[in-house]
Amino acid sequence: MTLPDTISGLLGIEGLAGTIIGSFIGAALIGTIMLANAALAGPWAKRKITAAFTDRISVNKFGPGGIGIIIPDSVRLLSKELIVPEGVDRPAWDIAPIVMVFSALLGFAVIPMGSGIHLADPPVGLIFAFAVASIASVSLVMAGYSSNNKYSFLGGLRAVAQNLAYEIPLILTGLSVVLFAGSLQMSEIVAAQQETLVLGPVGIPAWFGLVNPFAFVLFMIANVAEVGRNPFDIPEAPTEIVAGFQTEYSSVYFVLLYLGEFVHIFLGGALIATIFLGGPAAPIGALSVIPGFIWFLVKIWGVFFFTQWLRSAVPRVRIDQLIEIGWKGMLVLSIANLFLTAIIVGVLPS
């Protein structure tokens, strides 16, 4: 049963009206939870993690561990003047930040986050998640070319080149999981990982990240490139193109772009958790007493911590190196992984 069905049942509303009302309420709940996580990650967790890696003191004065900094930071950013540069393509310039956030939030519609916490479960759920996440590329291009700024334009061009180079390996690696699961439906992919693999005296969960660690590593690398984190933060490289596609944005528009980046990181973490780490399943049966939704959040925050470690530890690659890694490395390896997985599944169908 999906979340809208549960909500409409609790409200006692049946039929089409119950589906619509339940869907709106469920979408609002999931969207609020993801936006709250992104708001926690951006102003606070990002600073604390980076400070820990670089041996510095981060925010620590306002609230426990400095977590209260979220409130003044939000007020400060939202209260700034919205400056509109001369010569911008106003419709595209206005729409780009909204598209950035919307594309990320829409992807969570098909992610199973726990028992009954699932907005929709279409038969092509994985393809839907990839498709809506890729809409972010459009927003980056819109923000870049509409800003009437050569550095923003370069950032938009870099975003296109990067997404083309890494989105294909990302999808091909995801399809290798589909061969194992035999379905594009997210719930079926999670269900296929519920078994236990017995390796001698040890039993481990049959998560696809453990069954096919090569695909897991490829997907992680491609995902880091898709969300634009180090060493692949080329579209907004501050030492080369100021801030790239978001150079001319301020106030609430900058907040939307900034928030959209972190929501996309969590969407990438949600996809990794779903197709490689068992979704909301606990790592061992003894820990199943903890709700699946908590395990799901732990996994996506683990991916976020990984991206922040890369940000602090790995230097940025050049644009030519970025393209070469994508087309000559990731694409070849992802195709090889897909063929190898097809052979294994064909030879060992059980």
Side-chain angles (χ1 to χ4, degrees), residues 172-212:
L172 289 176
T173 308
L175 289 179
S176 69
V177 170
V178 174
L179 293 178
F180 276 119
S183 175
L184 288 165
Q185 195 168 4
M186 290 297 210
S187 60
E188 293 295 327
I189 293 175
V190 172
Q193 302 176 70
Q194 301 307 307
E195 299 179 4
T196 301
L197 294 177
V198 179
L199 301 176
V202 181
I204 62 173
W207 295 353
F208 292 136
L210 300 175
V211 173
N212 190 355

Side-chain angles (χ1 to χ4, degrees), residues 10 67 107 156 198 239 268 282 296:
L10 291 174
I67 195 172
V198 179
T239 55
F296 180 79

Side-chain angles (χ1 to χ4, degrees), residues 5 7 23 44 50 59 98 110 131 137 170 212 234 236 323:
D5 294 333
I7 293 174
S23 298
W44 180 72
T50 303
V59 289
I98 300 172
V110 295
S137 304
L170 186 80
N212 190 355
I234 296 298
E236 49 180 311
I323 301 304

Side-chain angles (χ1 to χ4, degrees), residues 254-267:
F254 173 79
V255 172
L256 287 173
L257 285 173
Y258 189 70
L259 187 66
E261 285 189 32
F262 283 90
V263 177
H264 270 281
I265 293 175
F266 280 111
L267 177 59

Side-chain angles (χ1 to χ4, degrees), residues 5-174:
D5 294 333
T6 303
I7 293 174
S8 61
L10 291 174
L11 295 176
I13 306 174
E14 298 181 355
L16 180 61
T19 302
I20 294 174
I21 294 174
S23 298
F24 271 110
I25 296 176
L29 288 173
I30 297 299
T32 301
I33 292 171
M34 290 302 110
L35 287 174
N37 277 273
L40 181 65
W44 180 72
K46 173 184 174 182
R47 293 175 177 176
K48 299 295 283 187
I49 296 169
T50 303
F53 275 118
T54 54
D55 196 23
R56 292 183 293 172
I57 298 176
S58 183
V59 289
N60 60 3
K61 300 297 183 183
F62 190 16
I67 195 172
I69 195 66
I70 296 172
I71 298 173
D73 259 7
S74 301
V75 174
R76 173 177 61 85
L77 289 170
L78 294 174
S79 61
K80 285 187 174 183
E81 179 185 1
L82 178 61
I83 301 173
V84 182
E86 294 183 1
V88 301
D89 184 351
R90 193 61 192 269
W93 193 78
D94 289 330
I95 293 172
I98 300 172
V99 173
M100 181 75 167
V101 179
F102 176 77
S103 64
L105 290 176
L106 192 58
F108 286 99
V110 295
I111 302 292
M113 303 181 188
S115 179
I117 310 177
H118 199 169
L119 284 177
D121 191 22
V124 290
L126 184 60
I127 296 300
F128 175 85
F130 283 141
V132 297
S134 66
I135 298 175
S137 304
V138 179
S139 71
L140 300 184
V141 176
M142 291 170 63
Y145 87 81
S146 66
S147 293
N148 192 30
N149 179 303
K150 61 183 178 181
Y151 298 111
S152 298
F153 185 63
L154 284 173
L157 292 179
R158 287 183 173 192
V160 173
Q162 179 167 322
N163 288 332
L164 284 175
Y166 288 88
E167 197 161 300
I168 298 174
L170 186 80
I171 295 173
L172 289 176
T173 308

